[in-house]
Amino acid sequence: MALQAGIVGLPNVGKSTLFNALTSAGAESANYPFCTIEPNVGIVPVPDKRLVQLQTLIETEKVIPTAVEIVDIAGLVRGASKGEGLGNQFLGNIRNVDAILHVVRCFDDDDITHVDGDVAPLRDIETIEIELMLADMESVDKRILRFAKLARSNDKEAKFHLATAEKMKAVLDAGKLIRSTDWNEDEWESITDAQLITSKKMLFICNVDESGLEADNAHVTAVRGHASSMESGVVTICAQAEAEIAELDEEERLEFLTDLGIAEPGLDKLSRATYELLGLQTYFTAGPKEIRAWTIRKGCKAPQAAGVIHTDFERGFIRANVYNIPDLQEYKTEPGLKSAGKLRVEGKEYVVQDGDVMHFLFNV
C-alpha cells in the first residue's frame, strides 16, 4: 500500500538525521536550514517479532516484513504560508502525505543552531501549527469561492461542499486544527478531497540527546502535555544515536543499546507507531517460498485483504483458511492445527484480525 508519513518540523531539529537512520537513504544532513530541498522518500520496514515466530515453525526461503513509506520534507519557518523559506514547496509536499511525523527538538546544545535562537518546543510546535492553519485557510477560501459559484445553479453536491467548507473556515478562524473537530462521514470525504493539512493525523517525535533517553526532560514533558490535548501520540528518540546504531552490525547494536540502557532501537518503536497512526494492521502468508507480512487497513474484509496480494485474488475470492500464531506455536504444524479444529474457514464477510495467518482460495 502506497501510504506515506511525512517527517516535518522547523529547520535543524534533526529531521534528516532521523530520516537517514530510518531509511539509510543518505539524505544530506547539515547544521544549517533547508539542507533538504526536495522531499526524500524511503521505504521503512516495520519490525514484527511474529515473523520470527513463524520462521521458527515454518521452513521458508525468505522473510519479507511490511513497510511504511517515509517522506523527509524541508524545514518550515514562520511565514511559510506567505512564501517565506521554502514556503509553498513545503506545503505542497505535505498535502500529499497520509500522516505527519512532527519532529520537535527537545535537547539543549549551543553548538547546534536553532532557527529561533533557543529551544522552546511548545513555541516551535505553535509556529508550525499556525503556518499550517494559515495555509489551510487559503485553501478553504478558494474552495468556498469555487463551490459558491456552482451552488448558485442549485447543484446539491456543490451546496454540501460549500457548507462543509464554511464550517472548516469557522474552525480555522477560531484557531483550531481541522482534525480537532467532530465531522460526520460525508464531511470527512469533503475534507479529504480538500487535502487540508491540519486534517491529517500527527505523531510528535521528541528528538533528545542520549541523557534524555533515561527519563523525560522538561521539554518532552511539555510536548506530551500538548499531544495529549490533541489526542496525538509521542515517541522519544535520539536521532543521532539512532543514526549510529543503524550503521552497526547486530552484535555491536545490542552492545550499544545495552550501554544506552534501552531494550530496542527507537526506530523500531517509531515505525510501529507510524503504522498504528495510519490505521494499519498486518496479516501474514506463510509457506516454503516465503513468509510475508501484508499491510491492510483496520476493518478490512477477507476479499480486500486478498486483493492486496493481487487483484485477481479479490475478484475470484472463494474463501480463506485462517489461523493464529499462538495456536501454531502450540500445535506446531498446519495439519496439527486442522486436527485440533484451529484452522478456520472464513468467507467474504470475515473481518481480518491483526496477526491472522491466511491462505486464500480463489477462481482465476
Side-chain angles (χ1 to χ4, degrees), residues 64-294:
I64 305 174
T66 190
V68 172
E69 197 167 286
I70 302 292
V71 184
D72 180 30
I73 300 172
L76 180 66
V77 295
R78 189 175 289 106
S81 60
K82 302 301 180 185
E84 294 295 326
L86 293 177
N88 294 334
Q89 184 171 338
F90 171 96
L91 296 168
N93 292 331
I94 198 175
R95 288 190 193 283
N96 297 322
V97 302
D98 299 285
I100 297 171
L101 309 180
H102 186 166
V103 181
V104 185
R105 179 172 165 182
C106 291
F107 66 92
D108 297 297
D109 187 333
D110 292 338
D111 293 330
I112 299 179
T113 304
H114 189 288
V115 70
D116 284 330
D118 63 336
V119 178
L122 294 186
R123 178 203 61 207
D124 296 350
I125 290 171
E126 182 181 42
T127 294
I128 287 186
E129 289 183 349
I130 288 173
E131 292 304 323
L132 298 185
M133 284 189 285
L134 290 171
D136 278 351
M137 285 179 186
E138 185 176 345
S139 295
V140 169
D141 285 342
K142 291 178 180 178
R143 193 170 177 85
I144 289 172
L145 288 173
R146 172 189 166 196
F147 285 109
K149 291 179 181 179
L150 295 171
R152 283 196 288 270
S153 63
N154 212 27
D155 184 317
K156 185 176 179 182
E157 185 176 350
K159 286 182 176 181
F160 171 75
H161 286 303
L162 176 60
T164 305
E166 288 172 340
K167 181 177 176 180
M168 290 188 282
K169 180 175 175 59
V171 170
L172 293 167
D173 284 345
K176 297 180 180 179
L177 307 179
I178 293 296
R179 68 177 176 276
S180 68
T181 303
D182 291 330
W183 306 90
N184 63 40
E185 187 174 339
D186 290 336
E187 288 172 332
W188 265 119
E189 286 187 14
S190 185
I191 292 168
T192 301
D193 178 66
Q195 289 191 304
L196 296 186
I197 304 168
T198 64
S199 69
K200 299 177 187 296
K201 294 181 179 180
M202 182 176 288
L203 178 72
F204 290 96
I205 303 172
C206 293
N207 185 19
V208 300
D209 55 19
E210 290 185 13
S211 65
L213 294 173
E214 299 174 5
D216 286 354
N217 60 34
H219 297 318
V220 175
T221 299
V223 175
R224 287 194 187 279
H226 178 77
S228 177
S229 70
M230 297 174 56
E231 298 184 350
S232 295
V234 176
V235 173
T236 300
I237 200 166
C238 176
Q240 188 58 51
E242 295 295 335
E244 294 174 19
I245 291 171
E247 296 178 356
L248 301 175
D249 61 32
E250 188 63 29
E251 185 175 341
E252 291 174 322
R253 187 175 301 175
L254 291 173
E255 185 176 337
F256 195 158
L257 291 172
T258 300
D259 289 343
L260 290 175
I262 56 179
E264 64 175 345
L267 297 184
D268 288 7
K269 293 186 292 184
L270 176 56
S271 56
R272 286 198 300 270
T274 302
Y275 199 68
E276 178 70 22
L277 180 70
L278 291 170
L280 307 177
Q281 65 182 28
T282 302
Y283 79 87
F284 303 95
T285 53
K289 288 189 176 181
E290 68 177 31
I291 294 171
R292 183 163 182 164
W294 298 91

